[in-house]
């Protein structure tokens, strides 16, 4: 049996490596065909992307973007592990960032106290907004997909209503931008000056802590075990004494709390205010990144870095005469190839494991018969 387990583990490792490699090769081939269709050279495009993407200033840009994307990916992945599709991450983080910006602009306490209060306000806002969908699901059976989509629209409407001059917004001197009251400099998060490469956002440290917490809670605690059990089979979880409805509501709240952090790198390290041009759509990017990372904290980190790299380099390609739509095509192709590759490899691995277990059991069943014949 040990030999069988060893063979299966080795195959699992090889299949785990084969899946991303297959996805990358397929994505490169499809992307090359798309670039060829535009009349450009894919070789020159890939070379330019690599050269520009590994420049020092590009690496800082990618890390800053990946910080935000990683938090979005983790927020979505928490729902995925429960078999929940939290589409509302976008509304949750935007409303959370708005509330946090309003609070931060009004606070007069020292920065060491203001920063935790701003972050806490964002997490609580995101958690409460996600809790609405969780409660609707467990009490009324409302699909979290429908509920969170509608909550996204409601959050946008609330922000649009409150972010006006005379409400909680104010016009800039040019009269073109409406924003909340800027955060005092004491409430800015720390950052690292890398010289000519630019400024690295300090919130990357928080993102790392969130990733470690996600790994530990889901992989090393009873709560994480119960959460994964409910995601795999609600019936089996209920039979083992797990409160399914409670776990669904709790996971939505935790997902929303992490979603509340998504806007914090931009608010505390960059813009220092919430305006009508605050980044939108990051929640939907988080869905793609969670899929790329297979809900694994390390995989999500790699997916976030890849997304930041593609955004940086394909935007540069536009200035080199390539069509700007290439970014969307490449991103879509990569996500599609990753999903297909992992599913193909998973099915192949399952089939191989069944064959080996079947062969081992057949061999064991035949062994006593052979011994009886010899006797």
């Amino acid at each position: 049996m040990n030999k069988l387990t060893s063979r299966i583990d080795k195959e699992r490792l090889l299949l785990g490596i084969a899946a991303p490699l297959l996805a990358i090769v397929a994505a490169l081939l499809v992307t090359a065909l798309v670039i060829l269709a535009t009349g450009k050279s894919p070789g020159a495009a890939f070379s330019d992307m690599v050269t520009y993407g590994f420049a020092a200033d590009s690496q800082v840009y990618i890390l800053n973007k990946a910080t935000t994307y990683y938090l979005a990916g983790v927020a979505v992945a928490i729902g995925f592990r429960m078999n929940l599709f939290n589409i509302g991450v976008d509304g949750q983080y935007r409303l959370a960032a708005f509330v946090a910006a309003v609070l931060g602009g009004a606070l007069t306490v020292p920065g060491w106290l203001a920063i935790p209060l701003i972050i806490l306000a964002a997490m609580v806002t995101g958690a409460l907004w996600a809790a609405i969908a969780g409660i609707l699901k467990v009490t009324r059976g409302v699909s979290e997909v429908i509920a969170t989509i509608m909550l996204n629209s409601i959050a946008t409407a609330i922000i649009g209503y409150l972010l006006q001059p005379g409400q909680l917004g104010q016009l800039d001197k040019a009269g073109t931008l409406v924003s909340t009251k800027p955060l005092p400099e004491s409430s800015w998060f720390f950052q690292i000056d890398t010289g000519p490469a630019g400024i690295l956002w300090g919130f990357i440290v928080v993102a790392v802590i969130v990733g470690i917490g996600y790994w530990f809670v889901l992989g090393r605690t009873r709560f994480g075990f119960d959460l994964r059990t409910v995601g795999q089979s609600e019936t089996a979880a209920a039979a083992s004494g797990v409160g399914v409805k409670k776990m669904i509501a709790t996971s939505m709240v935790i997902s929303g709390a992490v979603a509340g952090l998504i806007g914090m790198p931009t608010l505390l390290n960059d813009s220092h205010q919430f305006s009508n041009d605050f980044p939108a759509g990051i929640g939907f990017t988080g869905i793609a990144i969670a899929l790329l990372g297979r809900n694994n904290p390390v995989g999500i980190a790699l997916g976030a870095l890849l997304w930041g790299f593609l955004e940086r380099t394909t935007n540069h390609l536009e200035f080199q005469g390539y069509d700007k739509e290439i970014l969307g095509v490449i991103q879509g192709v990569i996500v599609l190839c990753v999903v297909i590759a992992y599913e193909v490899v998973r099915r192949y691995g399952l089939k191989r494991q069944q064959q080996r277990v079947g062969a081992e059991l057949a061999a064991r069943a035949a062994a006593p018969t052979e011994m009886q014949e010899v006797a």
Side-chain angles (χ1 to χ4, degrees):
M1 192 66 181
N2 290 333
K3 292 181 178 179
L4 174 62
T5 304
S6 177
R7 285 199 299 267
I8 292 175
D9 288 342
K10 288 181 180 179
E11 283 200 359
R12 185 176 298 175
L13 176 62
L14 291 174
L15 291 174
I17 298 173
L21 288 178
L22 179 62
I24 291 172
V25 171
L28 287 174
L29 288 175
V30 175
T31 302
L33 293 174
V34 171
I35 296 175
L36 278 173
T38 65
K40 303 288 184 178
S41 169
F46 292 149
S47 175
D48 188 77
M49 289 173 67
V50 171
T51 302
Y52 186 72
F54 282 93
D57 57 339
S58 292
Q59 291 178 19
V60 171
Y61 175 93
I62 291 168
L63 286 172
N64 289 340
K65 282 291 183 179
T67 299
T68 302
Y69 291 156
Y70 184 74
L71 293 170
V74 171
V76 173
I78 292 171
F80 279 170
R81 296 301 292 266
M82 270 289 295
N83 205 23
L84 294 172
F85 207 53
N86 186 5
I87 300 282
V89 168
D90 212 68
Q92 291 154 20
Y93 91 80
R94 284 179 57 80
L95 186 62
F98 174 72
V99 171
V102 172
L103 175 65
L107 288 174
T108 56
V109 297
W112 62 266
L113 180 58
I115 292 175
L117 287 175
I118 292 171
I119 295 174
L120 181 62
M123 294 183 69
V124 170
T125 302
L128 291 176
W129 201 247
I132 298 174
I135 293 171
L136 288 173
K137 183 174 180 65
V138 299
T139 59
R140 293 288 182 257
V142 179
S143 168
E144 75 278 3
V145 175
I146 296 174
T148 50
I149 287 176
M150 297 308 299
L151 285 169
N152 279 344
S153 300
I154 296 172
T156 300
I158 292 173
I159 294 171
Y161 173 74
L162 295 176
L163 191 63
Q164 297 184 51
Q167 301 273 13
L168 298 176
Q170 59 185 26
L171 274 173
D172 64 354
K173 294 181 180 180
T176 57
L177 187 68
V178 182
S179 66
T180 59
K181 183 180 178 181
L183 272 61
E185 191 168 344
S186 61
S187 298
W188 296 4
F189 209 77
F190 80 91
Q191 52 192 21
I192 303 169
D193 188 354
T194 62
I199 302 296
L200 180 64
W201 295 349
F203 214 83
I204 191 173
V205 176
V206 177
V208 172
I209 294 173
V210 169
I212 294 173
Y214 170 73
W215 164 79
F216 180 79
V217 171
L218 265 71
R220 295 292 184 272
T221 65
R222 173 59 187 271
F223 172 80
F225 176 78
D226 290 345
L227 187 146
R228 288 183 282 112
T229 302
V230 174
Q232 292 172 0
S233 173
E234 292 186 8
T235 304
S240 63
V242 178
V244 174
K245 290 185 177 181
K246 180 181 177 181
M247 291 301 298
I248 291 174
T250 302
S251 64
M252 284 298 294
V253 169
I254 296 174
S255 178
V258 176
L261 293 172
I262 296 172
M264 294 300 96
T266 302
L267 178 65
L268 296 176
N269 273 130
D270 186 29
S271 66
H272 309 299
Q273 61 186 14
F274 189 100
S275 60
N276 49 18
D277 64 349
F278 198 83
I282 299 175
F284 298 105
T285 300
I287 296 174
I289 291 173
L291 290 172
L292 282 174
R294 305 294 293 178
N295 302 326
N296 180 281
V298 176
I300 295 172
L302 295 175
L305 289 170
L306 174 62
W307 214 263
F309 174 83
L310 290 175
E311 184 176 309
R312 177 70 168 178
T313 55
T314 50
N315 285 337
H316 174 69
L317 286 181
E318 184 180 351
F319 295 100
Q320 307 301 313
Y322 293 86
D323 296 329
K324 62 180 181 180
E325 290 79 12
I326 286 179
L327 171 60
V329 172
I330 293 176
Q331 290 174 337
V333 165
I334 288 176
V335 173
L336 188 61
C337 288
V338 166
V339 172
I340 294 175
Y342 271 100
E343 183 61 21
V344 169
V345 170
R346 185 190 70 83
R347 293 188 179 186
Y348 175 78
L350 183 61
K351 182 179 178 181
R352 288 286 298 161
Q353 184 174 347
Q354 290 173 341
Q355 289 174 344
R356 287 191 175 278
V357 171
E360 183 75 13
L361 292 175
R364 289 193 170 200
T369 303
E370 292 176 357
M371 291 179 64
Q372 290 174 3
E373 291 177 355
V374 171

